[in-house]
């Protein structure tokens, strides 16, 4: 029987405070450090590996984390989730994003249908539509092929799909899989939509409107912006637009769209990259075969999250170490640092995934918790970040745990040798050097040049960013966030924190304001 208890009621959690803290600088020095790097590594799917040698853990801490995983029933809670129990307590909903890429357990029925079959059917319809667009069987009003796809959405309808598109764009060009350029409109700031529209051939562009409810203010505003631009060009907007929405939304059966593809209430926006939300734009941009490979990578990584042995379950281990850092070591934030330009927007996606999921101060039953929960997430690709905020990471007053991501090979297979090494070797040299610099530091009598070290990091290492490895990487972080939510006893699948601002904004636009809100409205000329 599963019990949902707050973290601070668990005996194994309290015992972690009694375990001797690891001196990271000492542990990572010399042959001890070399042995840790060889030992503290867990295989992931698609050739990836999670290496946690430079984290502040040792065998004693790991034993404590294993006990915590067992007492918190992490394996059992994941099983309940993928078998269709109501895990989203705030909205009384199932949580089914894993079903978009595979069947982990029992058949899950909701709304009178087999949900796995439902998601597969939507993928099939999207694939058929994309193939017809690529073959020129679906065209614009003049009978000409579409060359650009533009996604209109905000939050999870933008951040995840945009990050995935950018991650695979160069790979697709190199591997003859690039079908259409993709652009994204998300911000209600008119400059966002205008910049995209001025940069594309509108007559040869197809637009994807993504809104589950069909009522999202920012998205519908941007849709009107796009329709106006199409009309000014003498084009019929209904010949240039498709919808990704729920079956019950006003968009579902509207004549304003060439086609509609469906999502449902069981997949939150930030978990929707493997649903129709990501499927439509990625299938149009790269072809449905590439999207299928992406799903296969995610499904393979999901299977590793089933493992009851913490040391063979990379997402669970990553989650446990993160909670240890947040709650026992008291570190307030985490930096995500991909050493791959392809992952330039991946930290932004993980920022929403993590902070919207676990940025909660009440447990899954709506009761206040007496411990800290989700960390602040930020990041930029290396080596750019090294010339930006790494100063604070190395010598600032707060210790910030680091999550590096690195690949042995670039995507384009083009490089140059300068000073006896390639650009890719220089990139990889930097990430290796940073791990050790953060861990071990450097003593100097001049305190301005002194590095204390003891700054923990992990690294996910792979061969190359490709559809399968990207899917596995995405699933790893989704599952990590899920396991951390279980540990903190949170509902990681609602997002009430985004609602209040929306309500107040509608009041401002309706001129139903008083007090400070009215003054701010006047200052902004609303």
């Amino acid at each position: 029987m599963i019990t949902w208890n707050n973290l601070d009621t668990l005996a194994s959690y309290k015992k972690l405070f009694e375990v001797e803290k690891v001196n990271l600088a000492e542990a990572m020095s010399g042959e001890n450090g070399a042995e840790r790097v060889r030992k503290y590594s867990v295989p992931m799917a698609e050739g990836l590996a999670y290496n946690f040698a430079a984290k502040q853990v040792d065998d004693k801490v790991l034993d404590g984390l294993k006990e915590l995983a067992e007492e918190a029933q992490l394996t059992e809670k994941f099983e309940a989730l993928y078998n269709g129990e109501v895990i989203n307590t705030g909205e009384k909903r199932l949580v089914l994003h894993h079903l978009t890429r595979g069947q982990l357990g029992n058949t899950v029925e909701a709304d009178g249908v087999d949900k796995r079959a439902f998601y597969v059917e939507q993928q099939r319809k999207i694939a058929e539509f994309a193939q017809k667009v690529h073959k020129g069987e679906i065209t614009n009003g003049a009978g000409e092929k579409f060359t650009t796809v533009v996604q209109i959405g905000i939050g999870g309808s933008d951040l995840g799909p945009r990050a995935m598109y950018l991650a695979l764009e160069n790979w697709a060009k190199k591997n003859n899989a690039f079908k259409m350029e993709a652009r994204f409109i998300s911000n209600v700031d008119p400059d966002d939509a205008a910049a995209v529209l001025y940069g594309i051939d509108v007559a040869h562009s197809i637009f994807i409107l993504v809104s589950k409810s069909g009522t999202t203010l920012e998205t519908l505003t941007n849709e009107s912006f796009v329709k106006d631009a199409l009309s000014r060009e003498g084009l019929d907007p209904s010949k240039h637009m498709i919808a990704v929405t729920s079956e019950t939304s006003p968009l579902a059966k509207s004549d304003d769209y060439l086609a509609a593809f469906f999502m449902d209430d069981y997949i939150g926006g930030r978990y929707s990259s493997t649903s129709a939300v990501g499927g439509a734009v990625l299938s149009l941009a790269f072809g449905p075969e590439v999207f299928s490979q992406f799903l296969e990578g995610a499904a393979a990584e999901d299977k590793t999250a089933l493992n009851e042995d913490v040391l063979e379950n990379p997402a669970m281990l990553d989650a446990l170490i993160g909670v240890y850092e947040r709650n026992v070591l008291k570190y307030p934030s985490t930096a995500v640092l991909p050493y791959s330009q392809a992952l330039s927007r991946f930290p932004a996606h993980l920022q929403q995934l993590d902070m919207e999921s676990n940025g909660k101060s009440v447990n899954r039953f709506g009761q206040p918790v007496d411990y800290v929960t989700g960390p602040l997430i930020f990041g930029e690709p290396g080596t750019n970040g090294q010339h930006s905020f790494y100063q604070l990471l190395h010598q600032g007053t707060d210790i910030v745990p680091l999550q590096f991501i690195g690949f042995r090979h670039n995507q384009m297979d083009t490089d140059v040798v300068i000073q006896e090494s390639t650009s890719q070797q220089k990139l990889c040299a930097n990430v290796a050097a940073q791990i050790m610099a953060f861990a071990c530091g450097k003593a100097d009598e001049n305190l301005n040049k002194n590095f204390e070290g003891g700054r923990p990091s992990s690294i996910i290492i792979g061969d190359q960013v490709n559809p399968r490895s990207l899917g596995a990487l995405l699933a790893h972080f989704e599952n990590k966030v899920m396991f951390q939510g279980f540990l903190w006893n949170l509902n990681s699948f609602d997002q009430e924190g985004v609602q209040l601002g929306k309500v107040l904004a509608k009041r401002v636009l309706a001129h139903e304001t008083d007090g400070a809100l009215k003054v701010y409205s006047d200052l902004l000329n609303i």
Side-chain angles (χ1 to χ4, degrees):
M1 179 179 177
I2 293 177
T3 56
W4 299 90
N5 296 314
N6 282 4
L7 178 66
D8 58 359
T9 67
L10 305 180
S12 53
Y13 169 68
K14 296 172 184 176
K15 284 172 61 177
L16 284 169
F17 288 88
E18 301 170 6
V19 180
E20 183 179 357
K21 305 299 186 290
V22 173
N23 183 321
L24 185 59
E26 183 180 295
M28 286 297 291
S29 297
E31 188 54 37
N32 287 339
E35 180 59 29
R36 281 176 65 93
V37 176
R38 287 189 286 263
K39 177 182 178 182
Y40 285 159
S41 182
V42 180
M44 297 169 57
E46 306 300 341
L48 298 171
Y50 171 66
N51 190 295
F52 59 100
K55 286 293 192 180
Q56 280 177 272
V57 299
D58 58 12
D59 290 349
K60 291 181 180 179
V61 174
L62 290 172
D63 287 342
L65 294 178
K66 289 179 188 178
E67 287 186 37
L68 178 59
E70 292 171 6
E71 188 179 2
Q73 299 177 292
L74 297 187
T75 297
E76 293 87 343
K77 288 171 182 174
F78 184 29
E79 184 177 2
L81 182 150
Y82 63 70
N83 280 327
E85 293 191 23
V86 177
I87 299 298
N88 179 349
T89 50
E91 297 169 315
K92 297 180 175 57
R93 293 173 180 166
L94 290 65
V95 176
L96 300 182
H97 55 276
H98 296 91
L99 268 183
T100 62
R101 56 243 195 181
Q103 188 86 45
L104 291 173
N106 302 330
T107 298
V108 176
E109 291 191 2
D111 305 325
V113 300
D114 176 337
K115 295 308 295 185
R116 172 63 183 157
F118 170 79
Y119 298 136
V120 170
E121 176 67 6
Q122 296 310 306
Q123 290 161 11
R124 183 190 64 78
K125 289 181 177 179
I126 289 170
E128 290 178 355
F129 183 86
Q131 288 166 343
K132 289 179 180 179
V133 170
H134 298 153
K135 292 176 182 177
E137 296 175 14
I138 294 176
T139 63
N140 67 5
E144 299 163 335
K145 291 182 71 173
F146 292 111
T147 58
T148 302
V149 54
V150 180
Q151 180 120 320
I152 307 170
I154 197 165
S157 301
D158 167 73
L159 286 165
R162 187 195 296 251
M164 302 310 125
Y165 170 78
L166 292 174
L168 295 177
E169 183 178 20
N170 281 340
W171 178 91
K173 290 176 179 176
K174 178 65 178 178
N175 290 275
N176 299 315
F178 190 80
K179 308 294 185 183
M180 302 170 69
E181 179 186 10
R183 302 290 296 275
F184 296 83
I185 298 173
S186 59
N187 198 335
V188 75
D189 181 344
D191 285 344
D192 186 19
V196 171
L197 293 171
Y198 285 134
I200 62 174
D201 178 358
V202 175
H204 296 89
S205 297
I206 189 167
F207 297 84
I208 306 172
L209 184 77
V210 183
S211 176
K212 187 186 298 182
S213 66
T215 61
T216 309
L217 179 62
E218 296 97 332
T219 301
L220 295 183
T221 300
N222 280 326
E223 180 192 27
S224 296
F225 202 105
V226 167
K227 284 183 173 179
D228 184 64
L230 288 165
S231 297
R232 287 200 310 269
E233 295 286 330
L235 302 168
D236 179 356
S238 69
K239 302 293 186 184
H240 288 258
M241 303 196 78
I242 64 176
V244 175
T245 189
S246 68
E247 291 180 288
T248 57
S249 91
L251 312 179
K253 294 179 174 62
S254 171
D255 292 335
D256 291 341
Y257 306 98
L258 285 167
F261 307 108
F262 300 127
M263 51 177 159
D264 57 37
D265 287 333
Y266 310 117
I267 300 174
R270 57 196 176 277
Y271 296 96
S272 66
S273 291
T274 54
S275 75
V277 175
V281 65
L282 295 177
S283 295
L284 284 165
F286 306 131
E289 299 84 3
V290 170
F291 184 64
S292 292
Q293 293 169 23
F294 173 63
L295 295 180
E296 289 165 6
E301 186 60 29
D302 285 341
K303 290 178 182 176
T304 71
L306 303 176
N307 205 310
E308 293 182 25
D309 184 344
V310 170
L311 294 181
E312 294 182 13
N313 188 324
M316 186 184 293
L317 180 59
D318 197 358
L320 286 159
I321 293 174
V323 169
Y324 178 72
E325 290 174 330
R326 184 76 175 105
N327 295 87
V328 178
L329 301 180
K330 304 299 183 184
Y331 299 148
S333 56
T334 297
V336 179
L337 309 170
Y339 274 63
S340 168
Q341 189 60 29
L343 299 179
S344 60
R345 290 295 289 169
F346 199 65
H349 170 58
L350 295 187
Q351 193 174 58
Q352 185 202 15
L353 173 67
D354 201 311
M355 295 172 70
E356 196 168 82
S357 295
N358 291 335
K360 313 284 175 65
S361 57
V362 298
N363 67 16
R364 58 189 290 104
F365 306 114
Q367 302 160 336
V369 296
D370 293 325
Y371 45 85
V372 295
T373 58
L376 172 71
I377 303 292
F378 68 98
E380 281 289 328
T383 57
N384 297 38
Q386 292 177 199
H387 296 269
S388 174
F389 51 80
Y390 277 36
Q391 168 61 45
L392 183 147
L393 300 183
H394 276 292
Q395 294 182 306
T397 53
D398 278 323
I399 291 180
V400 179
L402 314 168
Q403 199 134 33
F404 291 103
I405 305 169
F407 295 88
R408 300 177 191 93
H409 303 288
N410 64 357
Q411 291 180 314
M412 300 299 283
D413 294 330
T414 56
D415 210 337
V416 61
V417 176
I418 297 177
Q419 297 178 358
E420 301 182 351
S421 63
T422 66
S423 298
Q424 185 67 23
Q425 288 171 329
K426 290 180 176 67
L427 180 70
C428 291
N430 270 278
V431 68
Q434 289 294 333
I435 291 171
M436 292 305 296
F438 280 117
C440 297
K442 179 182 73 72
D444 197 301
E445 291 183 2
N446 180 346
L447 294 184
N448 192 51
K449 297 182 178 181
N450 183 67
F451 292 77
E452 292 185 1
R455 309 211 167 204
S457 68
S458 63
I459 182 168
I460 293 174
I461 301 174
D463 193 54
Q464 184 189 58
V465 180
N466 59 44
R468 285 188 169 86
S469 65
L470 181 66
L473 191 66
L474 175 70
H476 171 86
F477 283 102
E478 289 182 348
N479 293 328
K480 173 192 174 181
V481 167
M482 172 193 69
F483 283 129
Q484 287 188 328
F486 290 160
L487 287 160
W488 285 316
N489 200 26
L490 305 175
N491 176 15
S492 301
F493 305 105
D494 66 1
Q495 54 284 330
E496 291 301 323
V498 305
Q499 301 303 325
L500 178 58
K502 292 181 180 181
V503 172
L504 293 179
K506 289 181 179 179
R507 283 179 49 192
V508 171
L509 292 172
H511 301 288
E512 297 172 354
T513 57
D514 54 19
L517 186 58
K518 183 180 189 311
V519 177
Y520 278 122
S521 302
D522 293 341
L523 287 171
L524 290 163
N525 196 31
I526 300 169

